[in-house]
Amino acid sequence: MKADVITAPQHAVADSVYDAIRAAVIQMIRAGEIRSDSSAGPVYFVLHDVADESRARELAAALHAALYGNLAPLARAMPTAS
C-alpha cells in the first residue's frame, strides 16, 4: 500500500502527524503485520505485505485522516498487543 502528500504540496502537515504515522508503521512492523522494509515518510508511506484489501483500505483511510489532522482512525487501526 502506498500513500503520499506529494500531489498536495499546498497542504501543510504538522510534524506531530508525521511522528504519529512513523510510530504506527514501527508498531505494525514490530507486530509482524507489515514487512520491515516498509517506509514512513517524509512525504510518502509504503506498507509492504498488508494482509488483504480490506486491511489496506482501513490503513489507507486512517493515513488519509491522519494527514488531515484526525489521528483517531490511525490509533484504532493499530494492532493490539497479544
Side-chain angles (χ1 to χ4, degrees), residues 9-81:
Q10 71 283 3
H11 177 70
V13 178
D15 288 342
S16 61
V17 169
Y18 286 124
D19 292 344
I21 292 171
R22 278 190 285 279
V25 169
I26 290 168
Q27 184 177 348
M28 287 186 286
I29 290 170
R30 288 182 177 159
E33 184 171 349
I34 58 176
R35 286 192 337 229
S36 62
D37 62 339
S38 295
S39 174
V43 294
Y44 66 93
F45 312 96
V46 180
L47 308 181
H48 292 289
D49 287 350
V50 176
D52 55 37
E53 182 179 349
S54 174
R55 181 64 171 149
R57 287 178 182 272
E58 176 187 22
L59 292 172
L63 282 173
H64 184 267
L67 290 170
Y68 281 89
N70 181 0
L71 295 174
L74 186 61
R76 285 192 304 270
M78 288 304 91
T80 56

